[in-house]
């Protein structure tokens, strides 16, 4: 039986439910990023519930390096460690190894690299990534892949996509092995495969066809939002989506702005994640139904109204723009917490709006009205 | 009628209730410091209720400089600005002018100084301080005084104490004027006088006698915890306490460690405040019933237990030492928030314990058992 239940569609857009060992997820969904087992900006796992977060995403590479996945396993797994009883997705560690660590060498077995914390030489291959994710006990593990730079030479992208396929087969075998272990932290852990191929449509398409045959619980589109234009990204989604199994959830990794998400949903995507709401929040850039405002702006100095009059988040229910602006100007840490909280709530509420419109069959109009509006600076 | 109700005494120690325009305060009480209309460490006013905070303290100097007391008044006062509906005490601004700002000149009228934010030349005298505090609308305003360095020459301390007395008379007149204004933010605002005199017992005593005659709603001992020994501080409290009106609350400003507080209560003090729980928390120093632990210590790396097994605070109910230590090591902002939250709860719970022991008549034993224990490093 599939873990994914498709409730309704509108064009390519889909309204569904995904079932995990830590409860169900209403899709389309935005995952809130808790890189190091914590949301940036002093937001606690307790707060996430008030912000209507359905699923948290943590980073395998970071947690492997510090405090160590074995330690987290010994303490009962990531859910217990960070006191979060709802679903968790862990990435594979691949993206951080390729972007953050000092890269040593990619070989067929895996990748040698230096830890960004203490410089220690480490190795990670598909089996290692799956073992670490099994130790963390996430509900959704991601396959170990290479996220190639855009632009990269066609020949390199082709060879990389082939290797990422071979790595995926090894990931699947390791995943099936670890989840059946008697001491498995989360026997219900699922594996998502990741499509790669940069912006070469034929490579993307062939890669997607091959990984779909492995019949995994879900599939992701990786390697986007790394420098290509929005149009290139949308075109790539359209090319790949046709070959993604319709009965499985689809995850567009690392995306994006509210507009990107509306366009992704429009093209058939169910899962999203992005550091943007937290990162923008820490800089005082706050999402509203009218666009993105900069709370440090002089014009808010005496503004007694909430960030967004339409927002029901705990921050908009309690604090004024004038107070928020004061906290940023006074460099109070509370500024970041309130800003990040609002932005996460904005994203989670946006997904709720998307789901409601899909249920009512009005998503296409909603996307038309808001896709550009939400991303503008005001 | 007095705003202060004395319920019970044990030696010099007192159990009471103080009534303000924003509700009553059970004493002895520790005030949680919200310098710039926010608790350091991303703790929100909403959190303060969960941490059993009864009264917040904000700084007149800081809020005058930024965002400005007139702005806060225009937005409905400090309670509304920071979304805190319980009592607020504001200091006079004097301490910050003498310690933080680049001091220009002390004259009979008041003090000229440069803002620490933009260097702007500002002036503050007793009437200004009272006007600012009236604009903020705090429940307890503090008199404008000079907090002299310890040690200072006897002659300087004597002249300063005389001037502080004359300033207090002017503060009282201004306070009575502002609270009767039709547009007063908080017509129920009260004024506390402040005793000064460094560690010269006779100056302290004479000063206390004179300010007591003004029959203000409360009195504070200022100018301590600025470099003298603990014993000098305790001796000074004993000298002054004898002349503090017993039917008025007594506030020992800027004090201190848990041990200092137990010793202060023992000597008849009702109100305390200190940045210590927040500051220590931000550095990972956490208060427990067994002493102060450093959460960054290696030995906590796999410690699955809460900070303090006897603590009922939201942090100890939810998170392990291992998780806290990880957050500090990973430099996650959440580390500070959780640490500060626990420390504030520890202080507020300590005061609750003190009140319970006073009610049962067992405070003296409690003080004997814990006065040294709580301050030790473990």
């Amino acid at each position: 039986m599939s873990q994914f239940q498709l409730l309704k569609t509108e064009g390519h857009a889909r309204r569904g439910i995904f079932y995990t060992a830590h409860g169900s997820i209403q899709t389309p969904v935005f995952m809130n990023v808790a890189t190091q087992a914590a949301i940036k900006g002093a937001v606690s796992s307790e707060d996430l519930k008030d912000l209507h977060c359905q699923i948290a995403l943590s980073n395998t590479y970071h947690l492997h390096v510090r405090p160590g996945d074995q330690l987290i396993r010994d303490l009962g797994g990531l859910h217990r460690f960070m006191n979060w009883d709802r679903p968790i997705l862990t990435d594979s560690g691949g993206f951080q190894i390729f972007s953050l660590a000092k890269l040593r060498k990619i070989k067929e077995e895996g990748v040698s690299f230096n830890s960004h914390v203490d410089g220690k030489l480490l190795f990670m291959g598909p089996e290692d990534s799956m073992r670490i994710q099994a130790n963390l006990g996430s509900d959704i593990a991601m396959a170990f892949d290479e996220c190639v730079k855009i632009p990269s030479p066609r020949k390199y992208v082709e060879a990389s996509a082939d290797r990422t396929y071979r790595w995926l087969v090894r990931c699947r075998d390791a995943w099936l092995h670890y989840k059946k272990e008697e001491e498995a932290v989360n026997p219900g852990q699922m594996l998502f495969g990741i499509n790669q191929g940069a912006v070469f449509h034929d490579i993307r398409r062939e890669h997607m066809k091959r990984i779909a045959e492995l019949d995994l619980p879900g599939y992701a589109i990786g390697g986007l939002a790394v420098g290509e234009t929005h149009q290139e990204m949308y075109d790539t989604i359209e090319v790949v989506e046709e070959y993604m199994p319709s009965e499985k959830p689809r995850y567009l990794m690392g995306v994006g702005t509210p507009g990107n998400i509306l366009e992704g949903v429009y093209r058939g995507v169910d899962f999203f994640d992005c550091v943007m709401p937290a990162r923008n929040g820490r800089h005082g850039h706050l999402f509203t139904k009218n666009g993105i405002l900069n709370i440090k702006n002089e014009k808010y100095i005496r503004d007694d109204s909430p960030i967004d009059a339409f927002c029901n988040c705990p921050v908009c229910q309690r604090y004024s723009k004038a107070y928020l602006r004061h906290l940023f100007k006074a460099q109070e840490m509370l500024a970041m917490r309130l800003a990040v909280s609002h932005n996460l709530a904005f994203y989670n509420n946006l997904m709720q709006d998307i789901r409601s419109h899909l249920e009512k069959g009005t998503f296409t109009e909603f996307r038309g009205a808001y896709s550009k509006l939400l991303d503008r600076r005001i």
Side-chain angles (χ1 to χ4, degrees), chain A:
Chain A
M1 150 204 125
S2 173
Q3 305 292 135
F4 187 63
Q5 189 187 350
L6 203 55
L7 299 174
K8 201 164 182 300
T9 59
E10 183 179 336
H12 290 261
R14 300 137 54 93
R15 170 77 180 90
I17 306 178
F18 189 60
Y19 297 93
T20 81
H22 288 85
S24 59
I25 300 163
Q26 304 294 324
T27 67
V29 66
F30 179 80
M31 299 185 281
N32 294 192
V33 181
T35 305
Q36 306 186 94
I39 301 277
K40 299 281 176 203
V43 175
S44 75
S45 50
E46 197 66 16
D47 295 336
L48 283 185
K49 296 192 177 177
D50 295 334
L51 305 174
H52 303 127
C53 168
Q54 297 191 71
I55 168 169
L57 182 158
S58 282
N59 289 97
T60 288
Y61 167 82
H62 284 286
L63 295 174
H64 173 57
V65 170
R66 180 176 58 202
D69 50 284
Q70 187 62 49
L71 183 150
I72 291 177
R73 179 197 173 98
D74 293 347
L75 296 176
L78 189 52
H79 286 88
R80 179 144 183 251
F81 187 60
M82 65 185 285
N83 193 38
W84 173 251
D85 59 7
R86 293 187 185 176
I88 295 176
L89 179 145
T90 43
D91 66 2
S92 71
F95 185 79
Q96 279 73 28
I97 291 174
F98 288 98
S99 63
L100 192 60
K102 204 179 149 198
L103 186 60
R104 296 291 292 237
K105 210 168 181 184
I106 312 177
K107 290 193 291 190
E108 186 62 27
E109 302 93 290
V111 188
S112 304
F113 61 97
N114 291 98
S115 154
H116 76 293
V117 171
D118 57 10
K120 204 168 127 183
L121 183 65
L122 298 170
F123 175 85
M124 197 185 286
E127 293 79 9
D128 306 286
S129 173
M130 297 318 298
R131 178 180 45 72
I132 296 168
Q133 294 184 76
N135 283 342
L136 297 174
S138 55
D139 298 288
I140 303 171
M142 296 303 298
F144 187 74
D145 62 340
E146 181 186 1
C147 178
V148 298
K149 270 180 254 171
I150 293 178
S152 281
R154 182 183 170 88
K155 206 159 176 177
Y156 184 85
V157 175
E158 217 157 24
S160 168
D162 278 347
R163 185 170 49 216
T164 284
Y165 173 77
R166 293 189 298 274
W167 282 357
L168 179 56
V169 173
R170 286 165 56 190
C171 280
R172 181 202 54 190
D173 294 346
W175 162 63
L176 289 173
H177 168 77
Y178 287 121
K179 70 181 288 189
K180 282 178 197 146
E181 281 190 320
E182 208 170 311
E183 307 274 294
V185 175
N186 187 352
Q189 188 178 59
M190 290 176 283
L191 174 67
F192 280 18
I194 303 176
N195 171 255
Q196 291 287 355
V199 285
F200 298 106
H201 290 180
D202 56 334
I203 302 178
R204 283 274 179 189
R205 196 183 296 121
E206 289 313 307
H207 190 259
M208 190 62 236
K209 282 189 204 168
R210 289 176 76 190
I211 66 175
E213 285 165 15
L214 296 177
D215 194 25
L216 297 171
Y219 288 96
I221 306 175
L224 290 180
V226 294
E228 80 286 1
T229 65
H230 282 177
Q231 198 52 55
E232 284 177 307
M233 176 169 82
Y234 300 148
D235 291 346
T236 304
I237 299 169
E238 286 177 17
V239 166
V240 174
E241 191 261 348
E242 201 183 332
Y243 299 93
M244 297 184 97
S246 64
E247 74 284 9
K248 307 278 177 73
R250 298 143 170 196
Y251 165 25
L252 180 59
M253 301 179 81
V255 174
T257 67
N260 292 157
I261 289 174
L262 284 165
E263 295 302 316
V265 169
Y266 180 74
R267 287 166 176 82
V269 176
D270 311 299
F271 282 64
F272 300 85
D273 83 283
C274 191
V275 296
M276 182 172 281
R279 183 172 292 165
N280 277 17
R282 296 203 302 283
H283 292 100
H285 299 142
L286 305 176
F287 292 95
T288 80
K289 283 255 163 55
N290 288 313
I292 305 163
L293 64 80
N294 182 350
I295 195 67
K296 295 182 195 170
N297 198 305
E298 184 78 24
K299 71 178 165 188
Y300 300 121
I301 193 164
R302 287 176 174 270
D303 192 330
D304 204 20
S305 67
I307 301 165
D308 185 338
F310 300 99
C311 180
N312 65 3
C313 87
V315 180
C316 288
Q317 294 306 304
R318 290 175 191 145
Y319 304 103
S320 65
K321 290 198 204 71
Y323 183 62
L324 261 288
R325 182 183 186 277
H326 162 66
L327 294 179
F328 268 100
K329 286 298 184 181
Q331 297 184 293
E332 284 289 341
M333 221 181 265
L334 182 58
M336 297 204 188
R337 175 177 160 205
L338 298 183
V340 171
S341 295
H342 166 79
N343 277 358
L344 290 179
F346 180 88
Y347 267 69
N348 294 330
N349 291 341
L350 170 65
M351 303 317 288
Q352 177 57 56
D353 286 345
I354 289 173
R355 292 191 297 269
S356 300
H357 282 288
L358 283 169
E359 284 161 17
K360 290 184 289 184
T362 53
F363 171 71
T364 309
E365 289 157 58
F366 182 65
R367 169 227 174 200
Y370 282 103
S371 182
K372 289 216 162 52
L373 186 69
L374 296 180
D375 287 2
R376 69 175 185 165
R377 301 264 165 193
I378 55 172

